[in-house]
C-alpha cells in the first residue's frame, strides 16, 4: 500500500507539471486555432529565466515571477511577429513555430552557455515527511497543490468572470464577438501571453524537480505536452488536466513495474485514444472553453 501511495504522488507531481505546459497549448489552440510548436522553447526559457533570477535574488518566489514575466514577454513577441502573419494556415504555423523552437533552443546556449545548470530545491521545500513507510516529498506535494490551484483559478475565470465570458464568446463565434465590440485580436494576444506564461511557469517548477536544466529539455517536454493535448481533446482545458494525470501516473507505475515500457507508455496511451476516441477524452464542442 505504501508503495502505491508513493507512486501515485510521484505520478501526480509529474502530471501537474505536464498539465501546466499543456494548459498553455490547449488555451492557445482552443481560442486561436494556432498550432504552436515553439511552446517548448517558451518552457525552457521560463526555466532558465526563473532559475537565474532565483540564483541572483535567492528568492524562489521572485524566480517564479521572473519566469512568468519572461514567458509573457516572449509570448507577446511571438504572437506579434511570428503568429499574426500565419493565422488560419496550420502548415505555415507548424513550419514557422518549429523554426522558432530551434532558434529559442540555440539562443539559450548563446545567452546562458551550452552546459546544463544544476538546480537545488529551496530549503523550505526540500526534504520529505514520513508517515510509516509512506514518504511524501515536500516539493512534489507543492507541485501538485500549485497545479490544482492553477486549474481552479482558470476554471473560475473561464466560467464565472467577464473575461471568461469574452473568451468563450470568441471561441464560439469570433465574427459575432467582433460585431458586439470585442477586440478579438487583442483577446488573442492576451490568451497567447497567458499560455506562454503557463509554459514558462511549468519550466521553472520543473527545474528543481529534475535537478538540472538544459537547452534541449524544451523539445523533450513539448512532446509530452502535445501528447496530453491530443489525449485530452484539442482545446479542452479539463481534458488536459485529466490526460496529464493519466500520463503522469502511467509513467510512474511503468517506470517501477515495467521499466522497458516507461518511455513508450505515453505513445501507447495516445495511440489507444486516437483509435477508440480520435476527438480526445473531451470533445471540443462541449469542453472547448473549459
Amino acid at each position: 500500500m505504501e508503495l502505491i501511495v508513493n507512486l501515485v504522488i510521484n505520478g501526480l507531481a509529474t502530471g501537474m507539471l505536464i498539465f501546466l505546459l499543456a494548459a498553455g497549448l490547449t488555451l492557445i489552440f482552443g481560442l486561436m486555432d494556432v498550432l504552436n510548436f515553439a511552446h517548448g522553447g517558451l518552457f525552457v526559457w521560463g526555466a532558465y529565466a526563473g532559475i537565474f533570477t532565483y540564483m541572483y535574488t535567492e528568492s524562489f518566489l521572485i524566480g517564479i515571477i521572473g519566469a512568468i514575466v519572461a514567458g509573457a514577454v516572449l509570448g507577446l513577441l511571438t504572437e506579434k511577429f511570428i503568429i499574426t502573419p500565419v493565422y488560419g494556415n496550420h502548415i505555415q504555423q507548424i513550419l514557422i513555430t518549429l523554426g522558432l523552437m530551434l532558434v529559442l533552443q540555440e539562443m539559450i546556449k548563446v545567452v546562458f552557455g551550452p552546459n546544463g545548470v544544476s538546480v537545488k530545491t529551496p530549503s523550505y521545500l526540500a526534504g520529505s515527511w514520513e508517515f510509516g513507510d509512506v514518504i511524501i516529498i515536500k516539493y512534489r506535494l507543492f507541485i501538485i497543490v500549485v497545479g490544482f490551484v492553477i486549474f481552479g483559478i482558470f476554471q473560475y475565470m473561464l466560467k464565472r468572470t467577464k473575461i471568461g465570458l469574452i473568451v468563450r464568446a470568441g471561441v464560439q463565434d469570433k465574427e459575432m464577438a467582433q460585431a458586439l465590440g470585442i477586440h478579438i485580436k487583442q483577446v488573442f494576444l492576451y490568451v497567447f501571453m497567458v499560455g506562454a506564461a503557463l509554459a514558462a511557469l511549468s519550466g521553472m517548477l520543473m527545474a528543481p524537480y529534475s535537478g538540472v536544466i538544459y537547452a534541449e529539455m524544451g523539445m523533450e517536454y513539448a512532446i509530452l505536452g502535445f501528447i496530453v493535448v491530443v489525449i485530452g481533446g484539442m482545446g479542452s482545458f479539463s481534458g488536459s488536466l485529466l490526460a496529464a494525470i493519466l500520463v503522469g501516473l502511467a509513467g510512474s507505475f511503468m517506470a517501477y513495474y515495467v521499466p522497458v515500457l516507461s518511455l513508450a507508455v505515453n505513445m501507447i496511451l495516445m495511440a489507444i485514444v486516437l483509435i477508440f476516441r480520435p476527438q480526445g477524452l473531451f470533445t471540443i464542442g462541449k469542453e472547448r472553453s473549459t
Side-chain angles (χ1 to χ4, degrees), residues 250-262:
S252 177
F253 278 85
M254 281 295 181
Y256 184 84
Y257 288 108
V258 192
V260 70
L261 292 178
S262 60

Side-chain angles (χ1 to χ4, degrees), residues 111-129:
V111 177
F112 298 103
N115 300 320
V117 177
S118 298
V119 180
K120 292 184 179 180
T121 305
S123 58
Y124 52 88
L125 291 175
S128 59
W129 293 295

Side-chain angles (χ1 to χ4, degrees), residues 17 28 36 52 68 77 79 82 136 139 145 157 160 166 168 187 199 202 224 230-231 246 250 255 270 289:
L17 287 170
I28 290 169
N36 179 26
F52 274 82
I68 293 173
L77 297 174
E79 200 278 340
I82 303 295
I136 300 177
Y139 190 73
V145 171
M157 288 179 62
R160 305 287 184 181
I166 292 172
R168 288 185 285 121
V187 173
S202 176
L224 286 177
V230 171
I231 293 175
L246 287 175
M270 184 173 67
S289 63

